Amino acid sequence: VQLAESGGGLVQPGDSLRLSCVGSGFTFGSYDMGWVRQAPGKGPEWVGGIASSGYSTRVKGSVKGRFTISRDNSKSTLYLQMNNLKPEDTAVYYCARGWESNYDHRGQGTQVTVSS
């Protein structure tokens, strides 16, 4: 199982970013997928997830209305669209296979820094 994230960077408050994660080594479309983030000095935090079919998504309250999760099973790719970014969104973002604390694999992560 391999999960490879991309798309992170340094942005200003209010900017947008789209993260991507390509999965390989497993049948991507058969698994619920999600995003986990870890801010400096803090533990991992589940950001949100999407069902294997793509028809159901859920994000945590602090990002609701700003973050959207989607997937393209034909490309084995998971996305995280982040709008109106805030400094408190600064973290390493990981793609994870599974749902909430039940994920069993995650990628190497991509750094997102929100700063003016």
Side-chain angles (χ1 to χ4, degrees):
V1 174
Q2 291 192 334
L3 299 168
E5 303 93 340
S6 62
L10 171 63
V11 297
Q12 294 186 339
D15 284 352
S16 298
L17 274 178
R18 188 175 82 155
L19 306 184
S20 300
C21 168
V22 178
S24 61
F26 66 105
T27 305
F28 184 85
S30 296
Y31 288 85
D32 297 340
M33 298 293 296
W35 291 93
V36 175
R37 70 185 181 185
Q38 187 161 13
K42 296 186 177 180
E45 174 186 43
W46 180 260
V47 176
I50 184 166
S52 58
S53 66
Y55 290 123
S56 177
T57 64
R58 184 186 301 169
V59 295
K60 66 187 305 291
S62 63
V63 305
K64 192 169 292 184
R66 299 189 298 120
F67 289 14
T68 303
I69 297 174
S70 61
R71 66 192 296 164
D72 185 340
N73 287 341
S74 70
K75 296 180 179 180
S76 297
T77 302
L78 176 72
Y79 301 101
L80 178 64
Q81 177 67 45
M82 305 184 292
N83 298 328
N84 189 22
L85 282 159
K86 302 177 179 181
E88 53 263 41
D89 295 318
T90 294
V92 178
Y93 284 72
Y94 301 91
C95 168
R97 189 180 80 168
W99 194 265
E100 294 186 353
S101 60
N102 293 320
Y103 67 87
D104 59 2
H105 291 276
R106 73 179 193 185
Q108 293 299 307
T110 185
Q111 176 71 47
V112 173
T113 303
V114 185
S115 175
S116 55

